[in-house]
């Protein structure tokens, strides 16, 4: 569990992220109050794990502030990032619904505040609200589609295509700074490689080559997108 500290947060009904949250945005006031019962908020410093692969889930996590990576650990501790989450998105729902152990771990990639909603409160509302059930099923379906897409990319795409697509995924998920070109997230070369399914050494070499073009500009860990159309072409993305 994250580091406990005094946090001045609104209740769920006044949460600034509620309209962005796919499964909570259409709940009634009474249902929101039920969800809020026993809700807790934790601060997680950059790099801290929210939950571990193989542990038992007792509730739902919702990102109030910050950014999170969901990943599986392979041989020799190598990570494969399977999902990214931002403010307003939920984590841990698959294990909660299937009553299984977590199939992946989650850790914050910057200082974050994450809310925890107990399993009992969430299931109570889920059983009564068919729209919430449908939204949750759609969320699970999208996860499955993205997992299938990632498998295809790893087996069929070149290293350059995978890294280019991963950069576009980061841009789509976290957006750009006010300058309109700098990625609004700071990831290590290792994390970018873990997202693309590429070794850290190969990631460093590929990004260095892209930095020599008019597609990207690297300034330390900051990534500037100079030509998104060329990056899209390089990624060879197919619908």
């Amino acid at each position: 569990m994250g580091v406990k500290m005094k946090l001045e947060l609104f209740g769920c009904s006044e949460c600034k992220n509620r309209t962005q949250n796919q499964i909570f945005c259409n709940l009634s006031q009474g249902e929101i109050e039920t969800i809020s019962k026993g809700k807790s908020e934790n601060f997680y410093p950059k790099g801290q794990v929210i939950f571990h692969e193989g542990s038992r889930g007792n509730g739902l996590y919702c990102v109030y502030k910050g950014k999170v990576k969901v990943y599986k650990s392979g041989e020799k501790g190598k990570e494969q990032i399977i999902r990214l989450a931002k403010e307003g998105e939920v984590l841990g729902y698959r294990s909660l619904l299937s009553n299984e152990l977590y199939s992946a771990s989650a850790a914050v990639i910057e200082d974050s505040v994450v809310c925890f909603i107990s399993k009992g409160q969430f299931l109570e509302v889920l059983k009564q609200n068919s729209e919430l059930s449908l939204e949750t099923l759609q969320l699970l379906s999208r996860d499955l589609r993205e997992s299938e897409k990632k498998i295809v990319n790893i087996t069929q795409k070149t290293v350059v295509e995978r890294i280019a697509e991963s950069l576009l995924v980061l841009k789509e998920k976290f957006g750009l700074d006010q300058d309109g070109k700098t990625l609004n997230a700071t990831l290590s070369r290792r994390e970018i490689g873990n997202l693309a399914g590429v070794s850290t050494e190969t990631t460093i070499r590929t990004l260095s080559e892209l930095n020599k073009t008019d597609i990207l500009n690297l300034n330390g860990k900051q990534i500037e997108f100079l030509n998104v159309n060329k990056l899209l072409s390089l990624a060879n993305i197919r619908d």
Side-chain angles (χ1 to χ4, degrees):
M1 193 64 71
V3 176
K4 292 283 188 179
M5 64 181 294
K6 186 176 181 180
L7 299 170
E8 295 182 359
L9 299 180
F10 295 106
C12 289
S13 61
E14 299 174 297
C15 178
K16 67 182 179 68
N17 298 322
R18 185 180 168 192
T19 56
Q20 304 172 38
N21 188 300
Q22 179 193 347
I23 64 173
F24 294 150
C25 61
N26 295 316
L27 297 184
S28 68
Q29 183 62 34
E31 290 167 336
I32 285 294
E33 290 175 358
T34 298
I35 289 289
S36 297
K37 291 177 183 177
K39 178 181 73 71
S40 61
E41 305 88 24
N42 290 323
F43 170 77
Y44 294 82
K46 180 179 179 180
Q48 185 169 356
V49 175
I50 301 172
F51 55 79
H52 290 274
E53 182 177 351
S55 61
R56 176 70 61 184
N58 296 310
L60 195 68
Y61 294 88
C62 187
V63 184
Y64 178 80
K65 183 178 181 181
K67 300 176 178 67
V68 177
K69 63 179 180 180
V70 179
Y71 62 94
K72 294 185 70 66
S73 297
E75 295 182 3
K76 299 180 181 179
K78 181 175 175 56
E79 294 179 5
Q80 173 66 59
I81 295 177
I82 57 177
R83 184 188 163 208
L84 297 163
K86 60 182 179 180
E87 295 174 359
E89 297 188 342
V90 292
L91 308 164
Y93 44 87
R94 281 184 292 176
S95 297
L96 185 153
L97 294 172
S98 63
N99 199 31
E100 297 176 343
L101 302 179
Y102 286 123
S103 59
S105 302
V108 299
I109 58 179
E110 67 179 33
D111 290 355
S112 302
V113 176
V114 182
C115 298
F116 176 79
I117 299 167
S118 72
K119 179 177 181 179
Q121 264 70 50
F122 178 72
L123 292 182
E124 180 181 341
V125 175
L126 186 68
K127 291 175 182 177
Q128 298 172 355
N129 189 317
S130 59
E131 188 173 353
L132 176 60
S133 299
L134 178 60
E135 294 285 2
T136 305
L137 283 173
Q138 290 175 341
L139 195 59
L140 291 167
S141 297
R142 278 197 288 272
D143 283 350
L144 179 58
R145 183 186 64 200
E146 289 303 313
S147 295
E148 292 172 342
K149 180 180 176 182
K150 185 173 286 291
I151 291 173
V152 171
N153 285 349
I154 289 176
T155 56
Q156 297 185 8
K157 283 199 168 187
T158 67
V159 166
V160 173
E161 288 174 336
R162 282 148 59 185
I163 289 179
E165 182 167 356
S166 294
L167 292 172
L168 290 166
V169 167
L170 290 169
K171 175 181 174 292
E172 178 68 23
K173 173 63 67 172
F174 299 132
L176 302 174
D177 287 343
Q178 291 184 351
D179 64 5
K181 59 182 180 180
T182 304
L183 180 67
N184 185 24
T186 303
L187 285 85
S188 67
R189 301 294 188 261
R190 179 173 179 242
E191 287 172 322
I192 294 172
N194 289 344
L195 179 62
V198 176
S199 71
T200 302
E201 295 75 13
T202 301
T203 301
I204 293 171
R205 186 167 58 251
T206 304
L207 289 175
S208 178
E209 290 299 319
L210 290 175
N211 190 48
K212 298 174 184 177
T213 69
D214 62 347
I215 297 176
L216 291 179
N217 180 48
L218 305 180
N219 183 13
K221 290 185 179 181
Q222 289 187 322
I223 299 174
E224 294 181 358
F225 294 84
L226 303 180
N227 193 320
V228 174
N229 288 333
K230 284 189 177 181
L231 192 62
L232 280 165
S233 178
L234 194 63
N236 192 24
I237 295 175
R238 304 182 182 90
D239 294 331

